[in-house]
Amino acid sequence: VWMLALCAVAIALGSAAAWYISRGLLRQLGGDPGYAAPIAGSIAAGDLAVDIRTDDGDEGSLLFAMKGMRDSLVGIVSQVRTGTGAIATASVEITAGNHDLSARTEAQAGTLEETASSMEELTATVRQNADNARQANQLAVSASAVAVKGGAVVSQVVDTMASINDSSK
């Protein structure tokens, strides 16, 4: 009888302990392990749209923490997508700026070529003007020499006329 009574008490205590331990584990998990495991697998596979149901007032269970982790991951992914979009927009703007800069550089190169060509023409014109100035200077020197000779001849004519005038007197 004592044995049966002790067995009955041991079974009752064992059952109560098992019930208390399983209740504590279920409270810590936030639900049945069969429900929590697929949710963890879905999140690990990248499915952030998985629905996680928790009991009202549950703020310390594993499922509540997984729900918070999922919500944080959704926020991070959203920020990454926003950042990626901003980077893509900036890349497009940089590409457009590079094309614009390239076009302006090509236009400036063309203008520079035209300027170089104009400078060559100007240099040729200046050389031609310098040659013409040299020729004009030589002609002026020649004319000056002719004028000096002409002056000497005129002086001789004046002297001859003065002599003729003196002789005629």
Side-chain angles (χ1 to χ4, degrees), residues 46-129:
D47 179 14
L48 299 180
V50 66
D51 183 38
I52 302 174
R53 291 180 312 250
T54 58
D55 293 333
D56 292 334
D58 180 7
E59 294 183 5
S61 71
L62 177 65
L63 282 176
F64 182 80
M66 286 172 54
K67 186 176 184 179
M69 177 184 69
R70 187 223 34 212
D71 294 343
S72 294
L73 287 173
V74 166
I76 290 169
V77 168
S78 174
Q79 288 175 352
V80 167
R81 283 185 181 160
T82 302
T84 303
I87 289 171
T89 301
S91 295
V92 167
E93 290 174 1
I94 288 171
T95 301
N98 285 343
H99 287 295
D100 183 46
L101 179 61
S102 175
R104 285 185 287 153
T105 301
E106 287 178 17
Q108 285 180 347
T111 303
L112 187 60
E113 273 186 46
E114 291 175 10
T115 302
S117 175
S118 297
M119 289 299 290
E120 286 177 13
E121 290 176 13
L122 182 62
T123 300
T125 302
V126 167
R127 281 188 187 135
Q128 187 177 9
N129 286 343

Side-chain angles (χ1 to χ4, degrees), residues 15-29 31 33:
S15 296
W19 175 80
Y20 182 76
I21 290 172
S22 66
R23 186 174 156 224
L25 287 174
L26 287 176
R27 196 175 323 124
Q28 286 180 349
L29 287 177

